[in-house]
Amino acid sequence: MAQASNVLTKIAQVSVGLGLAGSMVQSAIYTVDGGERAVLFDRFQGVLEETTGEGMHLRIPWLQSPTIFDIRTRPRSISSITGTKDLQMVNITLRVLSKPNVEMLPTIFKNLGPEYDEKILPSIGNEVLKAVVANYNAEQLLTQRSEVSAAVRIGLTKRAKDFNILLDDVALTHLSFGDEFSKAIESKQVAQQEAERSKFVVQKSEQEKLAAVIKAEGESDAAKLISDATKSAGPGLIELRRIEAAREIAATLARGRNVVYLPSQANMLMGMNPGK
């Protein structure tokens, strides 16, 4: 019995030793996934200047502890309510694609910590938006949106570099004004449409008057020409016009179904058809 008890005791001791050894080995290993970097903090040396990349790495348990940073580009929306040059309030939303400067990760860790983007981007985003929007009036924000977006991108990229943050893209995604300004814009558009409509009516009236004058002048010239022709041609022209008129009347009557012609000394008589 004593011998069996000693064997069990040794087995237990070995198991405990293996367990402790396995725990120490596990605590001495850490893994960095794709798109990540690790910054090591040493209790004696502080934050190490060299970062570790993807893969499995060793560390000294208790003495060293890794902090994992995501170095991939991440999107963020920044909203700001600010005033324009003409004192109109505008609500602007900015989309930012950002990532940390990998070479400066130890500095970022020491100065800002792992949540560096949460601390910096909203603050500098509002700062740049207010500074840029203040240079434009409300109408310019609508008509020169690309220029405003470019100015915000330049200013925000410069400020982000001060904190070792790189920006891949900056764009305005939303821009809206207060209810009063929106109503004023709508009223202005309605007034412009009414003015254009009134302008069209005036131009149409002027064109109609001009057409009437031209028509009257044409009729006057035609009458004058006929009068001159009559004076120069004598009664022969009048007789020709009478014959042409008689011919037109005869052609019109010929198309009628209820007309009867009775020749009598070149005169035409009309009557109703007895059959009707």
Side-chain angles (χ1 to χ4, degrees):
M1 292 291 294
Q3 186 177 0
S5 177
N6 291 333
V7 171
L8 292 175
T9 301
K10 289 182 179 180
I11 293 174
Q13 291 175 349
V14 170
S15 298
V16 171
L18 291 175
L20 290 174
S23 176
M24 291 182 63
V25 170
Q26 184 177 6
S27 62
I29 296 175
Y30 67 96
T31 302
V32 180
D33 295 331
E36 296 178 342
R37 289 290 187 279
V39 175
L40 279 179
F41 172 74
D42 189 286
R43 292 183 182 273
F44 294 131
Q45 303 179 57
V47 178
L48 302 183
E49 294 299 325
E50 185 177 352
T51 62
T52 54
E54 304 168 4
M56 186 176 293
H57 305 276
L58 294 175
R59 68 184 181 93
I60 303 174
W62 183 83
L63 185 64
Q64 295 177 334
S65 59
T67 299
I68 306 299
F69 281 83
D70 188 347
I71 62 172
R72 292 166 293 190
T73 300
R74 294 188 292 178
R76 171 176 291 276
S77 293
I78 302 173
S79 297
S80 177
I81 300 177
T82 183
T84 63
K85 189 176 182 179
D86 53 352
L87 304 181
Q88 296 293 336
M89 299 306 296
V90 58
N91 186 358
I92 296 182
T93 300
L94 195 65
R95 185 204 63 192
V96 178
L97 299 179
S98 65
K99 62 183 178 182
N101 186 343
V102 177
E103 297 178 355
M104 302 301 295
L105 280 178
T107 302
I108 294 175
F109 179 71
K110 286 188 288 186
N111 296 336
L112 302 173
E115 303 299 329
Y116 64 94
D117 53 346
E118 294 282 351
K119 298 176 181 178
I120 298 302
L121 288 179
S123 176
I124 63 175
N126 278 275
E127 173 191 339
V128 172
L129 280 174
K130 292 180 184 298
V132 172
V133 171
N135 296 323
Y136 298 86
N137 57 42
E139 185 176 356
Q140 288 175 329
L141 288 180
L142 296 174
T143 58
Q144 303 176 20
R145 183 164 178 166
S146 59
E147 180 180 332
V148 175
S149 181
V152 172
R153 180 167 56 253
I154 294 172
L156 190 56
T157 300
K158 183 178 179 180
R159 288 289 290 125
K161 282 184 178 180
D162 295 339
F163 300 94
N164 302 305
I165 300 174
L166 306 179
L167 302 184
D168 289 341
D169 185 56
V170 178
L172 296 178
T173 58
H174 177 74
L175 191 151
S176 63
F177 296 91
D179 293 338
E180 294 183 359
F181 182 76
S182 299
K183 291 179 180 178
I185 290 291
E186 183 178 355
S187 300
K188 182 179 179 180
Q189 291 176 343
V190 171
Q192 289 177 345
Q193 292 175 355
E194 291 294 336
E196 291 295 330
R197 187 179 294 109
S198 299
K199 182 180 179 181
F200 172 75
V201 171
V202 171
Q203 290 178 346
K204 181 180 178 182
S205 176
E206 292 177 351
Q207 292 296 327
E208 290 176 348
K209 290 179 181 179
L210 181 60
V213 171
I214 294 174
K215 181 179 179 181
E217 292 177 350
E219 291 177 350
S220 175
D221 292 341
K224 185 176 182 301
L225 290 174
I226 293 173
S227 177
D228 294 342
T230 302
K231 291 178 181 179
S232 61
L237 180 60
I238 296 175
E239 182 63 21
L240 177 61
R241 292 286 186 264
R242 187 184 68 79
I243 293 173
E244 291 176 351
R247 184 178 298 169
E248 292 178 359
I249 293 171
T252 302
L253 293 176
R255 290 191 293 268
R257 300 177 57 188
N258 300 326
V259 179
V260 178
Y261 300 90
L262 296 176
S264 176
Q265 299 178 356
N267 292 327
M268 294 177 293
L269 299 179
M270 294 181 296
M272 297 300 296
N273 191 333
K276 293 292 183 179

